[in-house]
Amino acid sequence: MAGRNGRTVRDLRRGNRTAVLQRLYFDGPLSRFELGPATGLSSGSVSNVVADLIADGLVEEAGSVDSDGGRPRTLLRVAPHSGQMIGVDVGETRVRVELFDLALTELARVERPLTPQGYDVDVIAGHIRDGVAEVLTAEQAAPDRLLGVGVGVPGIVEHTPDQGAVVHGQTIGWDAVPLERLLRSASPLPDGVPYLIDNGAKTLGQAEMWFGAGRGARNAVVVLFGSGVGACLVTPEVEHGRAVEWGHLTVRVRGRRCRCGAPGCLEAYAGAESLLARWREEGGRPPENTDEETALTAMLAAAYPPEGTAPDPVALAVLEETAEYLGAGLSDLINLFQPERILIGGWAGLQLGTRFLPAVRRHAATYALRHPGDQVTIDLGRLGPDAVTVGAAILPLADFFAGGGRRPEPAGETPLPTWHTALRERAPH
């Protein structure tokens, strides 16, 4: 039966379960007494919801604390082993697939390296399907505990009613690729377990905002610096984050040709692929027959050798110029969005690390307007090279929260909120 606002009793119960689960997940362990003011629910509603969640195996006791003059209060938490999620990072150098429990503890991992020509759609889809099957087998995962598979990809992701997630990845040669449909066509997953696909910079940003260096910030930009560059913008209006094609801002008119085909993009100067190409063009000698990560490590070692050894002047000059391009690119984000924090992640950003960061900060301050430039901090992300995978795993986790900890309902029932809604409604501080 629907109320005046159109919500049914089922909707209200689901909303109450969602509120309790989210509070316990982000702020727990908590007692029933603390859950009342934390969720806005009455003590009776809290007791009923908690009893339901314990009966479903989603919530468990986690010790007790003394109360003021009364009996000790039992603490509750979300049971880590009551559900599992898979996160997939379709990166520039590899496809990484990881299985997590609800506490985002890694249970199993599979990686498939990619060649420079490795973005064939069928190859990528095969790597994802095989990786999913492999991590499930390795952990002997129970199908009824799997909440879904989240996938972070390069490019713009469009969600369509007929084909699901469609990827427009101009830099990798993907033109309206119906990736979700391809994955479902030969899926190793049980019926009803969803694939949830979004931009990799966005999944990186969501991971850092929920669990990493972005916690507590209301306005932030999280930068993905790998073969190319991208960013995720988080503001009060878009708390779930919005991917922005930052790498394709024009930084030099009639400049170097970018992977996207346009001249003068930031990515053509600051992405790891172009950085290594520029080193080679200027007479540098990257190691032959190695992947980009190994080559970038060699470039960094050549530019900043041990004390007493002369640096490679070409590598050093290219890296210093790249730091200026990145700083100038960050200044555009500062002037446009005035964030509190900018976080740099991605395998290349983390590999260059603190040696690169002081120069990037200095150049960003030089190019940015003074007031927003004085308000922002620029740091590295905290979640390491797996942050995109963790963020991808958040997609089914958020779907799980939105459904009150229950599976998607059969067709014809009241539809569940989308994972986009769950991400928007909960930004932990």
Side-chain angles (χ1 to χ4, degrees):
M1 179 177 178
R4 292 183 179 180
N5 61 3
R7 298 190 70 193
T8 65
V9 172
R10 181 190 293 265
D11 295 331
L12 292 171
R13 287 175 177 164
R14 184 169 57 218
N16 291 347
R17 284 170 62 101
T18 294
V20 170
L21 276 172
Q22 289 182 336
R23 282 299 180 181
L24 287 176
Y25 190 81
F26 291 108
D27 303 325
L30 296 171
S31 67
R32 291 172 177 80
F33 179 79
E34 292 170 309
L35 278 169
T39 60
L41 300 177
S42 69
S43 59
S45 294
V46 167
S47 294
N48 290 336
V49 170
V50 167
D52 266 356
L53 294 174
I54 290 175
D56 290 345
L58 298 177
V59 168
E60 63 186 15
E61 294 185 356
S64 62
V65 292
D66 292 334
S67 61
D68 296 334
R71 293 182 302 172
R73 291 183 179 137
T74 300
L75 295 176
L76 304 166
R77 68 175 182 180
V78 173
H81 304 298
S82 60
Q84 296 176 343
M85 306 85 68
I86 293 175
V88 179
D89 175 12
V90 180
E92 295 107 337
T93 61
R94 62 174 58 86
V95 173
R96 177 183 290 125
V97 181
E98 294 183 62
L99 177 69
F100 301 93
D101 66 13
L102 280 190
L104 286 173
T105 300
E106 181 188 307
L107 303 176
R109 168 197 295 242
V110 170
E111 294 188 354
R112 295 284 188 273
L114 295 177
T115 66
Q117 294 77 37
Y119 277 106
D120 178 272
V121 174
D122 292 332
V123 170
I124 295 292
H127 284 337
I128 294 172
R129 286 193 297 260
D130 292 346
V132 166
E134 202 167 320
V135 296
L136 291 175
T137 301
E139 185 59 23
Q140 297 182 335
D144 61 339
R145 287 191 292 165
L146 185 62
L147 307 180
V149 178
V151 185
V153 296
I156 298 169
V157 180
E158 177 186 12
H159 297 276
T160 67
D162 53 341
Q163 299 199 81
V166 175
V167 183
H168 304 272
Q170 191 166 323
T171 61
I172 60 172
W174 285 14
D175 183 13
V177 170
L179 183 60
E180 184 176 346
R181 180 172 60 79
L182 292 174
L183 292 175
R184 291 186 187 284
S185 65
S187 175
L189 299 179
D191 289 343
V193 177
Y195 285 97
L196 303 167
I197 301 169
D198 216 322
N199 175 271
K202 181 175 172 182
T203 69
L204 167 70
Q206 194 61 57
E208 288 289 351
M209 294 303 292
W210 276 27
F211 304 109
R215 283 181 64 92
R218 290 179 59 77
N219 296 276
V221 177
V222 184
V223 171
L224 175 60
F225 177 23
S227 289
V229 290
C232 174
L233 170 69
V234 180
T235 69
E237 291 76 31
V238 283
E239 292 180 355
H240 57 297
R242 184 181 77 218
V244 291
E245 293 295 331
W246 174 58
H248 302 289
L249 290 175
T250 302
V251 295
R252 180 176 289 184
V253 176
R254 295 186 294 276
R256 289 174 60 88
R257 185 71 58 181
C258 178
R259 296 188 301 174
C260 74
C265 292
L266 174 63
E267 186 170 296
Y269 294 90
E273 180 180 299
S274 63
L275 192 158
L276 292 166
R278 287 163 52 222
W279 184 28
R280 189 178 299 108
E281 291 163 9
E282 295 294 327
R285 296 183 178 179
E288 299 293 333
N289 302 318
T290 58
D291 60 32
E292 283 185 1
E293 295 185 36
T294 303
L296 189 59
T297 299
M299 184 180 186
L300 192 60
Y304 304 103
E307 188 174 348
T309 305
D312 177 336
V314 176
L316 184 59
V318 171
L319 283 168
E320 288 179 343
E321 185 181 44
T322 299
E324 184 166 6
Y325 274 116
L326 277 173
L330 293 181
S331 76
D332 290 334
L333 297 174
I334 292 167
N335 292 341
L336 285 169
F337 303 117
Q338 301 179 27
E340 301 167 46
R341 299 178 199 172
I342 292 177
L343 305 173
I344 299 174
W347 65 265
L350 297 173
Q351 190 177 52
L352 293 169
T354 54
R355 186 178 291 279
F356 213 51
L357 197 58
V360 171
R361 287 175 176 147
R362 185 172 65 252
H363 291 303
T366 298
Y367 286 100
L369 291 170
R370 186 180 304 111
H371 179 70
D374 288 344
Q375 309 305 310
V376 69
T377 60
I378 301 174
D379 288 300
L380 297 178
R382 293 180 187 164
L383 297 182
D386 290 350
V388 172
T389 321
V390 172
I394 288 175
L395 303 182
L397 177 63
D399 213 33
F400 174 71
F401 286 153
R406 292 199 170 106
R407 299 274 174 206
E409 298 170 2
E413 298 289 336
T414 304
L416 295 174
T418 65
W419 61 266
H420 301 80
T421 303
L423 292 177
R424 182 170 62 251
E425 289 178 348
R426 176 59 182 175
H429 299 292

